[in-house]
Structures are given as structure tokens and as C-alpha cells.
Amino acid sequence: NSDIIYQCRETSNLRSFDSRSVDAIQNGQIIFKMQAQFARPEESQLRHVERADGVTGMPRGVVAPDECLGMDDLLGDLMARAPAALLPLIEELRASPIEVRYAVGAPHDPLDPDPPSMPSRQLLWVRIREPITKAPGLDAACAAYISDQPLLLTALRPHRISFPSPKLGALATLDHSMWFHGPFDADDWLLYDMHAPFAGSGRALCFGHLYRPDTGQLV
């Protein structure tokens, strides 16, 4: 293990927005780059929330998280059936700080040799398992962590592949951008609506929206 050095540069300081550029450097090589912009809170008369399908607001008729099947349940069952090569990955997923429940049915069985094709859209309930402190920016950082893996896996659904799966090699996010629109608690349930309109040439394009169930607000 080698230390990671973070170099942060001020790229702008404006009336309403500030921006920063961050490089993460390990062994003399840049392994991660981030562009961040921070907006000062302000009231606006112009406000609406519209999904990609043209419907306004959070998806309706979604089953409450307490009534949904959880990833923990599926992983527990998978432990008893999976080949030895998959067990370390399953154990890693079971130890994840993220709790996931399936808002619209269960995913593919990873061990099914011939699973059905599924739509390139999925709805999940997600949250950080344990209560977190309300340090500035921590909820946003946790949401960024939560949002990464399931977003990419959405693109595999039409191709009859789930995760973990012996069919999969390495997966990596090439570019992950997020915009935050309102306050939320990352240790409370959020509805994660994901869609992958394109996959090809070894890459996929995926979009996701996180909603607060109490207000329906896009966060």
C-alpha cells in the first residue's frame, strides 16, 4: 500500500459559485481527477423536477423499502450455492456499508446459466447502514459512494448478466458526474432510479436520479 497525495487547486471564486480541481497522486502517477463546483444556497422562483420519461417528480407506486427484498437476503442464499471463486466477492458485498433493497422485483440469479433479458432500467432503495454524523458534505460524499456500482450494473441487465457473476471480468467507472439539488440524509432511504440508454465498444452510458421518499424531491 502506498500513500495517496491529494493536490487541490482553486480554479475560480465567483459571486455565486466556487470551483476546485483535485488530483490524487500515488507513486508519482495521477490515479484520479475531480472537478468540483460549490454553489451558495439561494431562493429561486423557477423550480421543477421532471424525469427522462417526461413525468414530473419521483416514480409513483413504488413499494416501500420495508416491504422489498434486500440484497443481504440474496447474498445469504448465494453463499450456500456459489463456487469457491465467488465467495470472497460475496463476503465483500455482505460487508458493504450500503444497504440495498429491490424496489421492482429481484435481479438475475448470478448462477443461472440462461437468465432472461431485463430492461436497462432499475429502481433500488439505498442508504448507508449505520447512522452518520452531519459533518458538512458528508451526506453528498456518501451519496457519491452509493451511486457508483449499481449505476454501471444497470447496463448489464439487457445482456443477461448480473453481479456477482462468473461471466464478468473487471468493471470500472471511467467518468462519474453528480449534481446535488437539495438536502437529504444518506443514512435514510433514497429511491435510486437508473437507466442505461447505450452500451457498446466496451463502454456504457448510464444515468441515475436519487429521490427523497418523504417529499419526492430530486436530490
mmCIF file of all heavy atoms in Angstrom, residues 21-67:
data_model
loop_
_atom_site.group_PDB
_atom_site.id
_atom_site.type_symbol
_atom_site.label_atom_id
_atom_site.label_comp_id
_atom_site.label_asym_id
_atom_site.label_seq_id
_atom_site.Cartn_x
_atom_site.Cartn_y
_atom_site.Cartn_z
ATOM 1 N N SER A 21 -10.186 22.051 -8.409
ATOM 2 C CA SER A 21 -9.671 20.906 -9.156
ATOM 3 C C SER A 21 -8.795 20.084 -8.223
ATOM 4 O O SER A 21 -7.957 20.639 -7.514
ATOM 5 C CB SER A 21 -8.865 21.383 -10.365
ATOM 6 O OG SER A 21 -8.274 20.292 -11.038
ATOM 7 N N VAL A 22 -9.015 18.762 -8.211
ATOM 8 C CA VAL A 22 -8.285 17.875 -7.307
ATOM 9 C C VAL A 22 -7.622 16.751 -8.102
ATOM 10 O O VAL A 22 -8.266 16.107 -8.924
ATOM 11 C CB VAL A 22 -9.219 17.268 -6.237
ATOM 12 C CG1 VAL A 22 -8.430 16.351 -5.294
ATOM 13 C CG2 VAL A 22 -9.926 18.363 -5.448
ATOM 14 N N ASP A 23 -6.338 16.518 -7.849
ATOM 15 C CA ASP A 23 -5.602 15.377 -8.392
ATOM 16 C C ASP A 23 -5.219 14.458 -7.241
ATOM 17 O O ASP A 23 -4.711 14.924 -6.213
ATOM 18 C CB ASP A 23 -4.326 15.812 -9.112
ATOM 19 C CG ASP A 23 -4.602 16.582 -10.390
ATOM 20 O OD1 ASP A 23 -5.737 16.504 -10.900
ATOM 21 O OD2 ASP A 23 -3.681 17.268 -10.873
ATOM 22 N N ALA A 24 -5.469 13.153 -7.408
ATOM 23 C CA ALA A 24 -4.995 12.156 -6.449
ATOM 24 C C ALA A 24 -3.773 11.480 -7.061
ATOM 25 O O ALA A 24 -3.836 10.944 -8.167
ATOM 26 C CB ALA A 24 -6.083 11.134 -6.155
ATOM 27 N N ILE A 25 -2.649 11.504 -6.347
ATOM 28 C CA ILE A 25 -1.375 11.037 -6.881
ATOM 29 C C ILE A 25 -0.835 9.916 -6.001
ATOM 30 O O ILE A 25 -0.760 10.047 -4.780
ATOM 31 C CB ILE A 25 -0.357 12.190 -6.948
ATOM 32 C CG1 ILE A 25 -0.911 13.328 -7.813
ATOM 33 C CG2 ILE A 25 0.989 11.709 -7.478
ATOM 34 C CD1 ILE A 25 -0.083 14.590 -7.773
ATOM 35 N N GLN A 26 -0.490 8.803 -6.644
ATOM 36 C CA GLN A 26 0.101 7.666 -5.934
ATOM 37 C C GLN A 26 1.316 7.174 -6.712
ATOM 38 O O GLN A 26 1.224 6.940 -7.927
ATOM 39 C CB GLN A 26 -0.920 6.531 -5.774
ATOM 40 C CG GLN A 26 -0.444 5.392 -4.892
ATOM 41 C CD GLN A 26 -1.525 4.333 -4.718
ATOM 42 O OE1 GLN A 26 -2.122 3.868 -5.696
ATOM 43 N NE2 GLN A 26 -1.796 3.961 -3.471
ATOM 44 N N ASN A 27 2.423 7.047 -6.043
ATOM 45 C CA ASN A 27 3.680 6.626 -6.687
ATOM 46 C C ASN A 27 4.022 7.514 -7.881
ATOM 47 O O ASN A 27 4.511 7.052 -8.919
ATOM 48 C CB ASN A 27 3.594 5.165 -7.134
ATOM 49 C CG ASN A 27 3.419 4.210 -5.969
ATOM 50 O OD1 ASN A 27 3.992 4.426 -4.891
ATOM 51 N ND2 ASN A 27 2.633 3.161 -6.162
ATOM 52 N N GLY A 28 3.744 8.810 -7.746
ATOM 53 C CA GLY A 28 4.088 9.755 -8.793
ATOM 54 C C GLY A 28 3.147 9.792 -9.971
ATOM 55 O O GLY A 28 3.352 10.568 -10.907
ATOM 56 N N GLN A 29 2.067 8.982 -9.932
ATOM 57 C CA GLN A 29 1.120 8.919 -11.038
ATOM 58 C C GLN A 29 -0.253 9.445 -10.594
ATOM 59 O O GLN A 29 -0.700 9.160 -9.483
ATOM 60 C CB GLN A 29 0.950 7.472 -11.531
ATOM 61 C CG GLN A 29 2.235 6.834 -12.037
ATOM 62 C CD GLN A 29 2.718 7.465 -13.323
ATOM 63 O OE1 GLN A 29 1.923 7.820 -14.196
ATOM 64 N NE2 GLN A 29 4.039 7.620 -13.450
ATOM 65 N N ILE A 30 -0.906 10.196 -11.482
ATOM 66 C CA ILE A 30 -2.268 10.652 -11.192
ATOM 67 C C ILE A 30 -3.227 9.481 -11.415
ATOM 68 O O ILE A 30 -3.309 8.929 -12.510
ATOM 69 C CB ILE A 30 -2.655 11.840 -12.091
ATOM 70 C CG1 ILE A 30 -1.770 13.051 -11.779
ATOM 71 C CG2 ILE A 30 -4.132 12.202 -11.887
ATOM 72 C CD1 ILE A 30 -2.031 14.246 -12.669
ATOM 73 N N ILE A 31 -3.948 9.092 -10.354
ATOM 74 C CA ILE A 31 -4.874 7.963 -10.443
ATOM 75 C C ILE A 31 -6.335 8.402 -10.409
ATOM 76 O O ILE A 31 -7.237 7.593 -10.626
ATOM 77 C CB ILE A 31 -4.614 6.951 -9.308
ATOM 78 C CG1 ILE A 31 -4.792 7.619 -7.936
ATOM 79 C CG2 ILE A 31 -3.215 6.345 -9.438
ATOM 80 C CD1 ILE A 31 -4.736 6.644 -6.769
ATOM 81 N N PHE A 32 -6.563 9.691 -10.123
ATOM 82 C CA PHE A 32 -7.934 10.180 -10.010
ATOM 83 C C PHE A 32 -7.916 11.687 -10.181
ATOM 84 O O PHE A 32 -7.016 12.374 -9.686
ATOM 85 C CB PHE A 32 -8.489 9.809 -8.628
ATOM 86 C CG PHE A 32 -9.798 10.456 -8.269
ATOM 87 C CD1 PHE A 32 -11.000 9.917 -8.702
ATOM 88 C CD2 PHE A 32 -9.840 11.614 -7.482
ATOM 89 C CE1 PHE A 32 -12.204 10.527 -8.364
ATOM 90 C CE2 PHE A 32 -11.031 12.207 -7.146
ATOM 91 C CZ PHE A 32 -12.218 11.661 -7.594
ATOM 92 N N LYS A 33 -8.896 12.199 -10.923
ATOM 93 C CA LYS A 33 -9.045 13.653 -11.078
ATOM 94 C C LYS A 33 -10.493 14.026 -10.781
ATOM 95 O O LYS A 33 -11.420 13.295 -11.161
ATOM 96 C CB LYS A 33 -8.688 14.089 -12.508
ATOM 97 C CG LYS A 33 -7.226 13.848 -12.876
ATOM 98 C CD LYS A 33 -6.944 14.273 -14.300
ATOM 99 C CE LYS A 33 -6.908 15.776 -14.461
ATOM 100 N NZ LYS A 33 -5.710 16.358 -13.821
ATOM 101 N N MET A 34 -10.684 15.140 -10.104
ATOM 102 C CA MET A 34 -12.033 15.597 -9.787
ATOM 103 C C MET A 34 -12.149 17.095 -10.048
ATOM 104 O O MET A 34 -11.239 17.863 -9.730
ATOM 105 C CB MET A 34 -12.385 15.314 -8.324
ATOM 106 C CG MET A 34 -13.804 15.752 -7.944
ATOM 107 S SD MET A 34 -14.252 15.394 -6.230
ATOM 108 C CE MET A 34 -13.284 16.625 -5.358
ATOM 109 N N GLN A 35 -13.267 17.478 -10.653
ATOM 110 C CA GLN A 35 -13.650 18.882 -10.778
ATOM 111 C C GLN A 35 -14.889 19.089 -9.908
ATOM 112 O O GLN A 35 -15.881 18.370 -10.070
ATOM 113 C CB GLN A 35 -13.972 19.233 -12.234
ATOM 114 C CG GLN A 35 -12.819 19.032 -13.194
ATOM 115 C CD GLN A 35 -11.712 20.053 -13.008
ATOM 116 O OE1 GLN A 35 -11.974 21.164 -12.536
ATOM 117 N NE2 GLN A 35 -10.493 19.696 -13.368
ATOM 118 N N ALA A 36 -14.823 20.023 -8.980
ATOM 119 C CA ALA A 36 -15.942 20.265 -8.067
ATOM 120 C C ALA A 36 -16.357 21.731 -8.127
ATOM 121 O O ALA A 36 -15.508 22.623 -8.176
ATOM 122 C CB ALA A 36 -15.560 19.887 -6.636
ATOM 123 N N GLN A 37 -17.675 21.937 -8.109
ATOM 124 C CA GLN A 37 -18.217 23.297 -8.081
ATOM 125 C C GLN A 37 -19.175 23.405 -6.905
ATOM 126 O O GLN A 37 -19.985 22.499 -6.669
ATOM 127 C CB GLN A 37 -18.943 23.612 -9.386
ATOM 128 C CG GLN A 37 -19.343 25.070 -9.517
ATOM 129 C CD GLN A 37 -19.969 25.366 -10.862
ATOM 130 O OE1 GLN A 37 -21.109 24.982 -11.110
ATOM 131 N NE2 GLN A 37 -19.249 26.055 -11.727
ATOM 132 N N PHE A 38 -19.076 24.515 -6.181
ATOM 133 C CA PHE A 38 -19.884 24.722 -4.982
ATOM 134 C C PHE A 38 -20.731 25.971 -5.173
ATOM 135 O O PHE A 38 -20.210 27.042 -5.507
ATOM 136 C CB PHE A 38 -18.978 24.874 -3.758
ATOM 137 C CG PHE A 38 -18.038 23.727 -3.561
ATOM 138 C CD1 PHE A 38 -16.764 23.749 -4.129
ATOM 139 C CD2 PHE A 38 -18.418 22.621 -2.831
ATOM 140 C CE1 PHE A 38 -15.889 22.686 -3.961
ATOM 141 C CE2 PHE A 38 -17.543 21.551 -2.657
ATOM 142 C CZ PHE A 38 -16.281 21.588 -3.232
ATOM 143 N N ALA A 39 -22.047 25.812 -4.958
ATOM 144 C CA ALA A 39 -22.973 26.929 -5.142
ATOM 145 C C ALA A 39 -23.471 27.406 -3.783
ATOM 146 O O ALA A 39 -23.768 26.599 -2.894
ATOM 147 C CB ALA A 39 -24.151 26.504 -6.005
ATOM 148 N N ARG A 40 -23.598 28.708 -3.636
ATOM 149 C CA ARG A 40 -24.167 29.268 -2.408
ATOM 150 C C ARG A 40 -25.681 29.091 -2.439
ATOM 151 O O ARG A 40 -26.320 29.324 -3.464
ATOM 152 C CB ARG A 40 -23.797 30.743 -2.292
ATOM 153 C CG ARG A 40 -22.314 30.967 -2.051
ATOM 154 C CD ARG A 40 -21.935 32.433 -2.055
ATOM 155 N NE ARG A 40 -20.504 32.607 -1.776
ATOM 156 C CZ ARG A 40 -19.538 32.443 -2.666
ATOM 157 N NH1 ARG A 40 -19.858 32.128 -3.919
ATOM 158 N NH2 ARG A 40 -18.276 32.600 -2.338
ATOM 159 N N PRO A 41 -26.297 28.667 -1.336
ATOM 160 C CA PRO A 41 -27.751 28.478 -1.314
ATOM 161 C C PRO A 41 -28.483 29.770 -1.649
ATOM 162 O O PRO A 41 -28.096 30.856 -1.189
ATOM 163 C CB PRO A 41 -28.035 28.039 0.129
ATOM 164 C CG PRO A 41 -26.725 27.527 0.642
ATOM 165 C CD PRO A 41 -25.664 28.333 -0.050
ATOM 166 N N GLU A 42 -29.524 29.650 -2.454
ATOM 167 C CA GLU A 42 -30.327 30.825 -2.780
ATOM 168 C C GLU A 42 -31.740 30.383 -3.152
ATOM 169 O O GLU A 42 -31.969 29.257 -3.600
ATOM 170 C CB GLU A 42 -29.705 31.617 -3.933
ATOM 171 C CG GLU A 42 -29.556 30.836 -5.222
ATOM 172 C CD GLU A 42 -28.900 31.651 -6.317
ATOM 173 O OE1 GLU A 42 -27.784 32.168 -6.099
ATOM 174 O OE2 GLU A 42 -29.514 31.762 -7.392
ATOM 175 N N GLU A 43 -32.703 31.272 -2.919
ATOM 176 C CA GLU A 43 -34.094 31.005 -3.271
ATOM 177 C C GLU A 43 -34.310 31.298 -4.754
ATOM 178 O O GLU A 43 -33.679 32.193 -5.326
ATOM 179 C CB GLU A 43 -35.027 31.877 -2.427
ATOM 180 C CG GLU A 43 -35.006 31.554 -0.946
ATOM 181 C CD GLU A 43 -35.519 30.166 -0.650
ATOM 182 O OE1 GLU A 43 -36.425 29.707 -1.386
ATOM 183 O OE2 GLU A 43 -35.020 29.522 0.284
ATOM 184 N N SER A 44 -35.187 30.520 -5.379
ATOM 185 C CA SER A 44 -35.486 30.722 -6.794
ATOM 186 C C SER A 44 -36.969 30.508 -7.044
ATOM 187 O O SER A 44 -37.584 29.583 -6.498
ATOM 188 C CB SER A 44 -34.670 29.750 -7.654
ATOM 189 O OG SER A 44 -35.052 29.850 -9.018
ATOM 190 N N GLN A 45 -37.551 31.359 -7.861
ATOM 191 C CA GLN A 45 -38.955 31.202 -8.243
ATOM 192 C C GLN A 45 -39.122 30.132 -9.318
ATOM 193 O O GLN A 45 -40.220 29.645 -9.557
ATOM 194 C CB GLN A 45 -39.501 32.542 -8.760
ATOM 195 C CG GLN A 45 -39.483 33.662 -7.734
ATOM 196 C CD GLN A 45 -40.375 33.366 -6.541
ATOM 197 O OE1 GLN A 45 -41.477 32.829 -6.687
ATOM 198 N NE2 GLN A 45 -39.901 33.718 -5.351
ATOM 199 N N LEU A 46 -38.038 29.783 -9.988
ATOM 200 C CA LEU A 46 -38.087 28.798 -11.065
ATOM 201 C C LEU A 46 -37.643 27.445 -10.521
ATOM 202 O O LEU A 46 -36.488 27.261 -10.154
ATOM 203 C CB LEU A 46 -37.167 29.215 -12.222
ATOM 204 C CG LEU A 46 -37.445 30.583 -12.836
ATOM 205 C CD1 LEU A 46 -36.438 30.882 -13.920
ATOM 206 C CD2 LEU A 46 -38.869 30.628 -13.394
ATOM 207 N N ARG A 47 -38.580 26.497 -10.455
ATOM 208 C CA ARG A 47 -38.251 25.180 -9.906
ATOM 209 C C ARG A 47 -39.202 24.136 -10.466
ATOM 210 O O ARG A 47 -40.418 24.319 -10.448
ATOM 211 C CB ARG A 47 -38.323 25.200 -8.382
ATOM 212 C CG ARG A 47 -37.922 23.877 -7.737
ATOM 213 C CD ARG A 47 -37.924 23.969 -6.220
ATOM 214 N NE ARG A 47 -37.544 22.702 -5.630
ATOM 215 C CZ ARG A 47 -36.292 22.318 -5.421
ATOM 216 N NH1 ARG A 47 -35.294 23.113 -5.769
ATOM 217 N NH2 ARG A 47 -36.027 21.154 -4.871
ATOM 218 N N HIS A 48 -38.660 23.046 -10.980
ATOM 219 C CA HIS A 48 -39.473 21.892 -11.349
ATOM 220 C C HIS A 48 -38.581 20.657 -11.327
ATOM 221 O O HIS A 48 -37.355 20.755 -11.333
ATOM 222 C CB HIS A 48 -40.118 22.059 -12.730
ATOM 223 C CG HIS A 48 -39.172 21.890 -13.865
ATOM 224 N ND1 HIS A 48 -38.366 22.914 -14.324
ATOM 225 C CD2 HIS A 48 -38.870 20.807 -14.626
ATOM 226 C CE1 HIS A 48 -37.636 22.475 -15.328
ATOM 227 N NE2 HIS A 48 -37.911 21.202 -15.530
ATOM 228 N N VAL A 49 -39.198 19.480 -11.278
ATOM 229 C CA VAL A 49 -38.488 18.207 -11.327
ATOM 230 C C VAL A 49 -39.176 17.349 -12.372
ATOM 231 O O VAL A 49 -40.372 17.087 -12.277
ATOM 232 C CB VAL A 49 -38.521 17.479 -9.958
ATOM 233 C CG1 VAL A 49 -37.842 16.123 -10.071
ATOM 234 C CG2 VAL A 49 -37.852 18.324 -8.894
ATOM 235 N N GLU A 50 -38.427 16.921 -13.386
ATOM 236 C CA GLU A 50 -39.008 16.107 -14.456
ATOM 237 C C GLU A 50 -38.076 14.964 -14.784
ATOM 238 O O GLU A 50 -36.878 15.145 -14.953
ATOM 239 C CB GLU A 50 -39.241 16.959 -15.705
ATOM 240 C CG GLU A 50 -39.964 16.202 -16.817
ATOM 241 C CD GLU A 50 -40.297 17.107 -17.988
ATOM 242 O OE1 GLU A 50 -41.236 17.905 -17.855
ATOM 243 O OE2 GLU A 50 -39.594 17.016 -19.002
ATOM 244 N N ARG A 51 -38.619 13.757 -14.873
ATOM 245 C CA ARG A 51 -37.818 12.585 -15.195
ATOM 246 C C ARG A 51 -37.570 12.505 -16.701
ATOM 247 O O ARG A 51 -38.166 13.220 -17.499
ATOM 248 C CB ARG A 51 -38.535 11.312 -14.728
ATOM 249 C CG ARG A 51 -38.826 11.280 -13.234
ATOM 250 C CD ARG A 51 -39.024 9.865 -12.727
ATOM 251 N NE ARG A 51 -39.958 9.084 -13.491
ATOM 252 C CZ ARG A 51 -41.270 9.046 -13.256
ATOM 253 N NH1 ARG A 51 -41.790 9.773 -12.294
ATOM 254 N NH2 ARG A 51 -42.062 8.294 -13.984
ATOM 255 N N ALA A 52 -36.707 11.567 -17.089
ATOM 256 C CA ALA A 52 -36.369 11.409 -18.501
ATOM 257 C C ALA A 52 -37.576 10.979 -19.335
ATOM 258 O O ALA A 52 -37.644 11.244 -20.533
ATOM 259 C CB ALA A 52 -35.243 10.390 -18.656
ATOM 260 N N ASP A 53 -38.556 10.310 -18.700
ATOM 261 C CA ASP A 53 -39.739 9.877 -19.448
ATOM 262 C C ASP A 53 -40.802 10.976 -19.510
ATOM 263 O O ASP A 53 -41.920 10.746 -19.965
ATOM 264 C CB ASP A 53 -40.338 8.602 -18.843
ATOM 265 C CG ASP A 53 -40.657 8.751 -17.356
ATOM 266 O OD1 ASP A 53 -40.642 9.898 -16.844
ATOM 267 O OD2 ASP A 53 -40.924 7.739 -16.700
ATOM 268 N N GLY A 54 -40.463 12.178 -19.045
ATOM 269 C CA GLY A 54 -41.388 13.301 -19.160
ATOM 270 C C GLY A 54 -42.364 13.437 -18.020
ATOM 271 O O GLY A 54 -43.122 14.399 -17.966
ATOM 272 N N VAL A 55 -42.379 12.470 -17.096
ATOM 273 C CA VAL A 55 -43.284 12.523 -15.958
ATOM 274 C C VAL A 55 -42.628 13.343 -14.845
ATOM 275 O O VAL A 55 -41.438 13.234 -14.599
ATOM 276 C CB VAL A 55 -43.615 11.108 -15.455
ATOM 277 C CG1 VAL A 55 -44.540 11.170 -14.237
ATOM 278 C CG2 VAL A 55 -44.254 10.294 -16.573
ATOM 279 N N THR A 56 -43.426 14.165 -14.201
ATOM 280 C CA THR A 56 -42.889 15.048 -13.177
ATOM 281 C C THR A 56 -42.723 14.320 -11.845
ATOM 282 O O THR A 56 -43.622 13.615 -11.400
ATOM 283 C CB THR A 56 -43.816 16.264 -12.985
ATOM 284 O OG1 THR A 56 -43.902 16.967 -14.216
ATOM 285 C CG2 THR A 56 -43.277 17.197 -11.919
ATOM 286 N N GLY A 57 -41.554 14.501 -11.215
ATOM 287 C CA GLY A 57 -41.341 14.025 -9.847
ATOM 288 C C GLY A 57 -40.881 12.586 -9.743
ATOM 289 O O GLY A 57 -40.584 11.904 -10.713
ATOM 290 N N MET A 58 -40.833 12.125 -8.511
ATOM 291 C CA MET A 58 -40.388 10.775 -8.178
ATOM 292 C C MET A 58 -41.320 9.728 -8.771
ATOM 293 O O MET A 58 -42.534 9.938 -8.859
ATOM 294 C CB MET A 58 -40.368 10.663 -6.652
ATOM 295 C CG MET A 58 -40.035 9.304 -6.095
ATOM 296 S SD MET A 58 -39.981 9.383 -4.279
ATOM 297 C CE MET A 58 -40.412 7.684 -3.874
ATOM 298 N N PRO A 59 -40.793 8.560 -9.228
ATOM 299 C CA PRO A 59 -41.665 7.490 -9.724
ATOM 300 C C PRO A 59 -42.752 7.131 -8.719
ATOM 301 O O PRO A 59 -42.500 7.055 -7.520
ATOM 302 C CB PRO A 59 -40.695 6.319 -9.929
ATOM 303 C CG PRO A 59 -39.378 6.972 -10.177
ATOM 304 C CD PRO A 59 -39.369 8.214 -9.322
ATOM 305 N N ARG A 60 -43.954 6.923 -9.215
ATOM 306 C CA ARG A 60 -45.110 6.653 -8.349
ATOM 307 C C ARG A 60 -45.363 5.150 -8.222
ATOM 308 O O ARG A 60 -44.970 4.367 -9.069
ATOM 309 C CB ARG A 60 -46.346 7.342 -8.912
ATOM 310 C CG ARG A 60 -46.233 8.867 -8.963
ATOM 311 C CD ARG A 60 -47.509 9.484 -9.521
ATOM 312 N NE ARG A 60 -47.437 10.938 -9.554
ATOM 313 C CZ ARG A 60 -46.941 11.652 -10.557
ATOM 314 N NH1 ARG A 60 -46.460 11.016 -11.621
ATOM 315 N NH2 ARG A 60 -46.904 12.962 -10.509
ATOM 316 N N GLY A 61 -46.039 4.786 -7.145
ATOM 317 C CA GLY A 61 -46.452 3.408 -6.950
ATOM 318 C C GLY A 61 -45.330 2.455 -6.580
ATOM 319 O O GLY A 61 -45.480 1.239 -6.728
ATOM 320 N N VAL A 62 -44.208 2.992 -6.096
ATOM 321 C CA VAL A 62 -43.076 2.142 -5.733
ATOM 322 C C VAL A 62 -43.313 1.557 -4.335
ATOM 323 O O VAL A 62 -43.729 2.253 -3.416
ATOM 324 C CB VAL A 62 -41.765 2.951 -5.753
ATOM 325 C CG1 VAL A 62 -40.590 2.069 -5.363
ATOM 326 C CG2 VAL A 62 -41.544 3.555 -7.123
ATOM 327 N N VAL A 63 -43.062 0.254 -4.196
ATOM 328 C CA VAL A 63 -43.259 -0.420 -2.912
ATOM 329 C C VAL A 63 -42.279 0.143 -1.878
ATOM 330 O O VAL A 63 -41.113 0.412 -2.186
ATOM 331 C CB VAL A 63 -43.053 -1.939 -3.075
ATOM 332 C CG1 VAL A 63 -43.213 -2.653 -1.741
ATOM 333 C CG2 VAL A 63 -44.020 -2.489 -4.110
ATOM 334 N N ALA A 64 -42.741 0.328 -0.655
ATOM 335 C CA ALA A 64 -41.910 0.874 0.418
ATOM 336 C C ALA A 64 -40.727 -0.056 0.705
ATOM 337 O O ALA A 64 -40.836 -1.282 0.551
ATOM 338 C CB ALA A 64 -42.739 1.061 1.683
ATOM 339 N N PRO A 65 -39.595 0.503 1.131
ATOM 340 C CA PRO A 65 -38.396 -0.331 1.327
ATOM 341 C C PRO A 65 -38.577 -1.459 2.325
ATOM 342 O O PRO A 65 -38.000 -2.538 2.155
ATOM 343 C CB PRO A 65 -37.333 0.674 1.796
ATOM 344 C CG PRO A 65 -38.079 1.903 2.205
ATOM 345 C CD PRO A 65 -39.315 1.929 1.385
ATOM 346 N N ASP A 66 -39.370 -1.247 3.374
ATOM 347 C CA ASP A 66 -39.563 -2.289 4.380
ATOM 348 C C ASP A 66 -40.271 -3.509 3.820
ATOM 349 O O ASP A 66 -40.232 -4.588 4.421
ATOM 350 C CB ASP A 66 -40.356 -1.741 5.567
ATOM 351 C CG ASP A 66 -39.555 -0.730 6.379
ATOM 352 O OD1 ASP A 66 -38.316 -0.691 6.217
ATOM 353 O OD2 ASP A 66 -40.164 0.026 7.160
ATOM 354 N N GLU A 67 -40.921 -3.359 2.677
ATOM 355 C CA GLU A 67 -41.655 -4.467 2.055
ATOM 356 C C GLU A 67 -40.896 -5.084 0.888
ATOM 357 O O GLU A 67 -41.419 -5.976 0.214
ATOM 358 C CB GLU A 67 -43.022 -3.962 1.569
ATOM 359 C CG GLU A 67 -43.885 -3.353 2.658
ATOM 360 C CD GLU A 67 -45.171 -2.760 2.091
ATOM 361 O OE1 GLU A 67 -45.683 -3.301 1.096
ATOM 362 O OE2 GLU A 67 -45.647 -1.760 2.651
#
